[in-house]
Amino acid sequence: MSTIKRLCERAEAHALHDQQREPGAEHFLLAALDLPDGTARLAFERAGAEPDALKAAIERQYGDALLSIGLTVDTPPDMPVSANSGAYQAAPSGQAIMQELAATRRDHAPLLGAHVVSIVAAMPQGVAPRALRALGVDPVILKSRADAIVGTSGR
């Protein structure tokens, strides 16, 4: 349970940094890279990707989306966004991550960052898949590498 808590807290911190109250799949992917087990980072490296480049690729996706509607990102807002009060909430893509983790919970114990990477790599659309493509990451290879790490960890 502590890994889920840490994952959710880090995802929320990444979302708030991006001026969003509810974390999406991209924030869970960044949070997986933060987990101390190191398996998310390892999956990226084995797929030939630089894990530390993900944050900038995600930020580019936000900027590109704003440009597509004629807006630009000049400076961050003066007022930081605060977390939602009450029960933890994630954006729909973040909810999909949590639902998939819950659905496959019996298949793995404990939760690893590579589990999250595998789920995100299988997503067909959204900020996270676009960011992966911007990095030149083949999602099929990334998922394969993440699944292999999960398999060798005995979970």
Side-chain angles (χ1 to χ4, degrees):
M1 190 58 151
S2 65
T3 303
I4 287 282
K5 180 181 177 190
R6 180 179 292 184
L7 181 70
C8 290
E9 287 173 349
R10 291 299 306 146
E12 184 174 62
H14 284 292
L16 292 172
H17 180 267
D18 288 340
Q19 299 295 306
Q20 299 177 38
R21 290 190 198 293
E22 298 175 344
E26 65 274 21
H27 303 114
F28 280 93
L29 188 55
L30 289 168
L33 292 172
D34 294 342
L35 291 176
D37 66 47
T39 59
R41 289 185 164 280
L42 184 59
F44 267 74
E45 291 163 359
R46 288 187 179 171
E50 173 55 49
D52 292 327
L54 180 63
K55 178 94 175 121
I58 290 169
E59 289 172 358
R60 279 193 310 275
Q61 300 313 302
Y62 294 142
D64 290 349
L66 289 173
L67 282 174
S68 75
I69 60 169
L71 301 174
T72 61
V73 180
D74 297 324
T75 58
D78 292 335
M79 292 283 295
V81 173
S82 59
N84 285 324
S85 59
Y88 182 84
Q89 293 181 358
S93 64
Q95 290 174 21
I97 302 290
M98 295 304 293
Q99 289 168 357
E100 182 66 21
L101 287 173
T104 61
R105 185 68 189 133
R106 281 175 262 165
D107 298 338
H108 57 81
L111 172 66
L112 300 173
H115 288 111
V116 177
V117 172
S118 177
I119 293 167
V120 173
M123 296 180 111
Q125 60 189 8
V127 173
R130 285 193 309 273
L132 292 173
R133 284 191 297 274
L135 287 175
V137 175
D138 181 332
V140 174
I141 292 173
L142 180 60
K143 180 172 177 25
S144 170
R145 299 306 185 264
D147 290 343
I149 291 167
V150 168
T152 60
S153 69
R155 299 168 180 102

